[in-house]
Amino acid sequence: MKIGIIGAGNIGGNLTRRLTALGHEVSVANSRGPQTLTALAEETGAKPVTASEAAKGAQVVVVTVPLKAVPDLPAGFLDSAAEGVTVIDTGNYYPQRDGRIAAIEDGLPESRWTEQQIGHPVIKAFNGTYAQDILDRGRPQGTPDRQALPVAGDDPAAKQAVRDLIDELGFDTVDGGGLDDSWRQQPGTPVYGNRGDADAITKGLAETSPERTAEFRA
């Protein structure tokens, strides 16, 4: 599969490592330019590109940049993607880093805000996952206590594509509902940073309060 990754930090870098190892064709971009991605490209075989080029021909695009940087993504960066491209949003709102975003403070789910900024539906995944776990904790299907990740989104086909990809990476998934339900996996919730299995994640999603914790409010 052709996959574009925009953001080469901890999550983006480790997804690049694992997805190339699984045989996917990965293009990776960051805010500083492809010349700064030489080491990652040499390590993984991924193609370093600009953010404008990352989605070219991609069936899946991963947006894994700080939330404050989402509005600065190049206009039309998804125009050259494959028809029906699935966009994964891994982002979280950290007001100490991102500044105050009024719509999110007023209750708009983080990924719904991101969707509005980029003008394309997104699937929320990987946002509560420790980056190192992507490298270290993947297990074969059927492994007892296999770690599970919540996945939220409105498009059933796109959500299934993301769940299949996560399974390939070595993790179970739990359906987190539509994107308006994605607040259940935001920072401060029981599933954020939770390394539990599918039962634990299902329980955590059900126990989540819609009230954002003080730690994650401006």
Side-chain angles (χ1 to χ4, degrees), residues 16 22-23 33 35 49 55 63-65 70 78 83 88 100 119 122 129 142 144 159 167 195 217:
T16 299
L22 289 167
Q35 72 280 358
V49 295
V63 175
T64 180
V65 301
V70 169
L78 293 169
E83 186 175 354
I88 301 174
R100 188 179 194 278
V122 303
T129 310
K159 188 190 288 186
D167 179 53
R195 288 173 161 147
R217 294 189 69 90

Side-chain angles (χ1 to χ4, degrees), residues 87-104:
V87 179
I88 301 174
D89 169 37
T90 77
N92 292 308
Y93 173 52
Y94 301 123
Q96 299 87 346
R97 176 196 67 189
D98 299 315
R100 188 179 194 278
I101 299 177
I104 295 175

